[in-house]
Amino acid sequence: MKRLIVLIFLLNTAFSFSQDDELESLTIQLAYQDPDSTKVNTSINIIKLLFKSKKYTKALKFVQQSEKLAKDLGYNKGLAEIIFLKAKIHNQEGNIPKAITGFKAAKALFQSMNDTIAVAKVDSNLGVLEIEKGNYQDGLTYALSAIKELEKGIYTKNCHKITRVLQKHTIHPET
């Protein structure tokens, strides 16, 4: 049992060091990049790593700077992804109104680019949020829209998440 605990601790430590190394490497790259779409994409990768590490405050600082750069460049794909990530952060922090506003803004940008898979990802998140808030009609509409699109691709992970939430919040009629 002791060996198992030690092994888990060592693997956890090794994983966190590799993630820190990747974050450091991306941050150094970012410092030397010209202000263009590549810099926005590097920032997106940093934000994703920080999100994964649950360092939301730090991630939001990168979001703020990257969002401005993407707007200045007119780089809508990067802007949509940044807004989507910002909404996910707000969701994790429990700020549901900001999360919903962010998801809807990201959806509008993804729709303007005809990125149906990204729209489905956003609808998936909106569906889960609305259902968890008790807005079953809106949530179901988003969820079904997302499932329809996601079933066409390989995004079954999102479909399973939506299905679990729908099952959890299904209203059973009294017998």
Side-chain angles (χ1 to χ4, degrees), residues 36-140:
D36 58 13
S37 62
T38 306
K39 190 168 193 153
V40 174
N41 291 335
T42 302
S43 294
I44 289 170
N45 289 331
I46 291 171
I47 294 164
K48 287 178 180 179
L49 275 176
L50 292 169
F51 179 82
K52 201 174 190 181
S53 302
K54 299 181 180 181
K55 297 177 181 173
Y56 304 128
T57 304
K58 194 170 185 178
L60 284 173
K61 289 178 183 174
F62 277 95
V63 163
Q64 202 172 29
Q65 295 168 351
S66 306
E67 192 173 2
K68 183 181 179 338
L69 178 59
K71 281 180 185 175
D72 291 347
L73 295 171
Y75 182 42
N76 287 339
K77 182 180 181 194
L79 181 60
E81 187 68 25
I82 291 165
I83 292 171
F84 175 75
L85 290 168
K86 181 169 65 170
K88 285 181 70 169
I89 292 167
H90 288 310
N91 183 31
Q92 289 300 311
E93 291 181 328
N95 192 338
I96 305 306
K98 273 190 175 180
I100 290 173
T101 300
F103 283 132
K104 287 180 178 180
K107 180 179 177 177
L109 283 168
F110 285 129
Q111 284 175 325
S112 73
M113 295 179 287
N114 297 317
D115 188 340
T116 56
I117 297 299
V119 170
K121 267 189 343 182
V122 174
D123 280 345
S124 168
N125 282 279
L126 282 167
V128 169
L129 277 176
E130 291 292 353
I131 290 168
E132 288 178 345
K133 280 179 41 183
N135 298 333
Y136 298 106
Q137 188 66 39
D138 292 342
L140 190 58

Side-chain angles (χ1 to χ4, degrees), residues 90 139 142 152 174:
H90 288 310
Y142 285 122
K152 293 177 187 175
E174 294 180 341

Side-chain angles (χ1 to χ4, degrees), residues 9 67 156:
F9 176 75
E67 192 173 2
T156 56

